Amino acid sequence: AQSVTQLDSQVPVFEEAPVELRCNYSSSVSVYLFWYVQYPNQGLQLLLKYLSGSTLVKGINGFEAEFNKSQTSFHLRKPSVHISDTAEYFCAVSDGAGNQFYFGTGTSLTVIP
Amino acid sequence: NAGVTQTPKFRVLKTGQSMTLLCAQDMNHEYMYWYRQDPGMGLRLIHYSVGEGTTAKGEVPDGYNVSRLKKQNFLLGLESAAPSQTSVYFCASSYRINPYRTTNTGELFFGEGSRLTVL
């Protein structure tokens, strides 16, 4: 089974500051990588995904992530956060068959005015 | 555009009672999943289905049963509820991953969740 580690459970950041949310995974095979966002009392929605090709992936709301195979990482970044970015962020990994997804424990991003 | 719909959204049970959560998707997805979300533990897969009539166990299947009699529906049952099953339950669906087709990239589409409390 694969595992996903999100190193930071809570990240407070001031409005308009940059942010990086870290994600590492353990796998020796090709994987597909995803970041999901969960706003309070809602389900998860896809932020961005990496399947193949360019290692820098751009998503919605100005977020981007970089796939680093040698470091088995898929960190999420945004150059300038807004209050509306306050939410829980989940990193997820899927194997090539797509049968199962493995989620990290989540990072709670709080944007401070 | 309903997407993934879960019913009920809230339920309170007493220990030992049974109940069924219904998940319905209108996107013709092959795969469907049931997750539970608990504080500090992220999402954990309970059961999943790769097609009508088939189900498989995930990480935490004990105490739950599932059925997928129709492609669009995935039911999660608790035969004898326990306080440890107090959680928020999410249903999700997806196509099989196919990175060469932009419509089949395998991401999960989630319902809004069902909050279950077992007293």
Side-chain angles (χ1 to χ4, degrees):
Chain A
Q2 300 175 26
S3 66
V4 179
T5 303
Q6 291 184 244
L7 296 168
D8 307 301
S9 60
Q10 295 185 344
V11 174
V13 62
F14 286 104
E15 191 174 15
E16 297 184 3
V19 70
E20 178 180 83
L21 306 183
R22 296 180 292 172
C23 173
N24 288 87
Y25 64 94
S26 65
S27 176
S28 60
V29 298
S30 296
V31 295
Y32 302 114
L33 298 156
F34 305 82
W35 275 99
Y36 287 85
V37 59
Q38 183 182 31
Y39 299 104
N41 299 315
Q42 294 186 25
L44 283 72
Q45 54 184 280
L46 184 70
L47 205 54
L48 50 78
K49 59 182 179 282
Y50 171 80
L51 303 181
S52 63
S54 173
T55 57
L56 183 62
V57 180
K58 294 188 183 298
I60 61 172
N61 301 338
F63 283 93
E64 62 181 33
E66 185 160 16
F67 169 59
N68 188 318
K69 187 174 183 179
S70 62
Q71 298 185 3
T72 59
S73 67
F74 191 54
H75 300 332
L76 181 70
R77 303 185 182 99
K78 186 170 183 178
S80 176
V81 295
H82 301 288
I83 296 292
S84 59
D85 293 324
T86 294
E88 190 88 14
Y89 292 81
F90 292 94
C91 181
V93 170
S94 174
D95 60 23
N99 289 347
Q100 293 199 36
F101 289 75
Y102 300 88
F103 283 83
T105 52
T107 297
S108 178
L109 174 64
T110 300
V111 180
I112 304 164
Chain B
N1 291 339
V4 179
T5 304
Q6 295 181 226
T7 52
K9 291 186 169 43
F10 301 93
R11 185 74 186 270
V12 178
L13 290 176
K14 295 181 179 179
T15 297
Q17 288 184 319
S18 62
M19 76 158 295
T20 300
L21 295 175
L22 170 62
C23 176
Q25 54 96 3
D26 60 2
M27 295 172 283
N28 202 35
H29 285 167
E30 294 92 349
Y31 295 175
M32 297 188 74
Y33 308 80
W34 275 107
Y35 289 90
R36 59 178 291 174
Q37 183 180 27
D38 302 290
M41 303 189 75
L43 276 80
R44 292 181 292 169
L45 181 64
I46 305 171
H47 286 280
Y48 66 99
S49 169
V50 300
E52 182 178 326
T54 69
T55 63
K57 295 180 179 179
E59 302 172 65
V60 288
D62 294 342
Y64 304 95
N65 57 75
V66 289
S67 65
R68 185 131 181 239
L69 300 179
K70 295 182 179 180
K71 185 177 184 179
Q72 64 268 33
N73 295 338
F74 195 30
L75 280 66
L76 178 70
L78 286 72
E79 291 185 346
S80 180
S84 61
Q85 294 177 305
T86 293
S87 186
V88 180
Y89 292 85
F90 286 98
C91 177
S93 68
S94 72
Y95 289 113
R96 180 184 174 87
I97 284 180
N98 183 343
Y100 303 106
R101 295 183 62 185
T102 57
T103 55
N104 285 13
T105 51
E107 66 258 31
L108 294 171
F109 292 80
F110 282 86
E112 294 187 346
S114 297
R115 184 174 295 275
L116 174 65
T117 301
V118 182
L119 304 176

